[in-house]
Structures are given as C-alpha cells and as structure tokens.
Amino acid sequence: MDNSNTEETFWTQRYLDNQTGWDIGEPSAPLKAYIDQLENKDLKILIPGAGHAYEAEYLFNKGFKNVYVLDISKEPLDALKKRIPEFPVNQTIQGDFFTHNNTYDLIIEQTFFCSFPPTKSNRQQYAAKMHELLNTNGKLVGLWFSMPLTGDMEKRPFGGSKQEYLGYFEPFFSIITLEDCYNSIAPRQGNELFGIFMKK
C-alpha cells in the first residue's frame, strides 16, 4: 500500500470535520478487560491506526510506559499529547503502518483493520506486517468487525467473517481465540469478534 499521502489527507479531513464515528470516547470495554489482566508492565505495545488512542491513555495511566501509538494523521496524535502531556513524544508516531519498522511484544487492534479498502491483497499485507512487527511469541489482540462486506469500497467500517479472517491469520499466527465478543458496546453488539493471535 503506497498511497500514504492520499490516506493521510483523507483521515486528517475526517478529524477536522469531526467525522469520527468509530471514536467512542473511551477505551473499548473488551480491550479494557484484556488490559486489566495484563501483569507485565514492561511489555512493548503498539496501537496502530490509534486515532485518539484511549487504550494507550488507559495503558499509560495503569503504569505501562512502553506504549507506542501510530497514526497516519497528526491530528489525533496532537490530541493525545494535549490529554497526556507526559506521554513520550518519541512514542507517538505519525506514519504509515505498512512501512513502519520496529518490533513489539503486543499489538492492539481497534478499528484499524476495518479502515482500509478490504481487498484480499490489503488484508494479506496486514497479516504479514503484523507478524513482522511482533517479537517471538508476540501477540496481536483486538476486535474485528463481524458483518458482511457490501461491495462498497468507500463506506467504512469494512467488515468480514470469522472464516475469512482465519484465512489471513492462520499462515502467520497460532489462533488462541477468535470468538463473538460478549462485552461489546451497545451499538456494536453482535458485530464484533475478539481475537488473540500468537506469532508463529
């Protein structure tokens, strides 16, 4: 995916126009529950396509200081810096996920996968890049929309099915779980899968 300038312009405009329907204003309940049972505060964590990064804020306030947020748009990263001035500047990264270079113990997925055009190529690249960015035994944990694709390549969020997702992830990951999410927020009830994948 090499259209990062176009994507940056698109997402920045969405923030400027306050067209941020994915933004729930707080950490997602399923991810909050997952974070609450994490014990190793030294984990190096990435949240790609982080937006306003409420999960990063929650992690940081719980003592996880090795948290990195990545977004193609500067707008939400600036908002995070205003909310948490002590959040390290070098851990807020404006850039393209697909060209990002680093490695992490844990990557958290929250409305990122569903944001780019749902071509088979894009989704295969996503799975491969996640694998590349994780350390040995690293985990990809998060939420994926479980709803049919409509064929409209403009109307986000883009969904998919459990079987489709497994097809992308199984070559790279051991599937610990990918099941219907029981504690989604009301507007997303019945439309989310919670997944934990460990790097092969």
Side-chain angles (χ1 to χ4, degrees):
M1 297 178 72
D2 55 4
N3 58 345
S4 56
N5 288 340
T6 306
E7 287 288 297
E8 179 187 345
T9 302
F10 173 83
W11 290 109
T12 296
Q13 198 58 51
R14 292 285 294 263
Y15 283 106
L16 293 174
D17 293 344
N18 202 29
Q19 293 182 344
T20 53
W22 65 87
D23 188 324
I24 61 175
E26 61 186 0
S28 169
L31 292 176
K32 190 166 173 278
Y34 178 80
I35 290 165
D36 284 345
Q37 55 80 50
L38 289 175
E39 295 179 355
N40 182 1
K41 298 284 174 74
D42 295 325
L43 287 171
K44 187 177 179 185
I45 302 170
L46 173 68
I47 305 179
H52 285 127
Y54 301 110
E55 285 78 16
E57 181 177 7
Y58 186 70
L59 281 159
F60 193 78
N61 289 335
K62 282 183 70 77
F64 292 84
K65 302 304 183 189
N66 210 6
V67 179
Y68 292 74
V69 294
L70 170 69
D71 204 279
I72 203 158
S73 173
K74 186 169 176 284
E75 295 297 319
L77 299 176
D78 287 345
L80 175 64
K81 290 171 194 171
K82 284 180 185 170
R83 291 200 321 271
I84 324 175
E86 64 273 26
F87 196 95
V89 174
N90 68 328
Q91 290 173 216
T92 59
I93 305 157
Q94 183 187 3
D96 183 344
F97 166 78
F98 291 96
T99 59
H100 180 60
N101 288 309
N102 210 325
T103 55
Y104 302 89
D105 303 310
L106 172 64
I107 301 179
I108 293 177
E109 161 63 46
Q110 162 70 322
T111 66
F112 174 52
F113 178 87
C114 68
S115 70
F116 49 83
T119 63
K120 186 174 181 179
S121 171
N122 282 351
R123 292 185 162 187
Q124 285 173 333
Q125 283 185 63
Y126 169 99
K129 187 66 180 180
M130 286 292 186
H131 181 268
E132 176 191 317
L133 290 173
L134 283 166
N135 293 323
T136 304
N137 295 326
K139 289 179 183 172
L140 167 61
V141 175
L143 299 163
W144 285 263
F145 280 116
S146 175
M147 53 194 185
L149 286 169
T150 63
D152 185 338
M153 298 297 264
E154 296 298 325
K155 187 167 171 45
R156 296 159 169 87
F158 298 115
S161 69
K162 177 178 176 178
Q163 285 311 117
E164 180 199 355
Y165 297 155
L166 288 174
Y168 296 125
F169 292 120
E170 282 179 332
F172 300 101
F173 296 91
S174 300
I175 312 301
I176 296 174
T177 188
L178 183 62
E179 298 297 337
D180 291 336
C181 193
Y182 71 88
N183 53 353
S184 298
I185 61 170
R188 297 178 185 173
Q189 201 71 47
N191 289 327
E192 286 185 311
L193 297 166
F194 177 74
I196 302 176
F197 309 125
M198 181 178 283
K199 178 174 177 168
K200 284 184 178 176

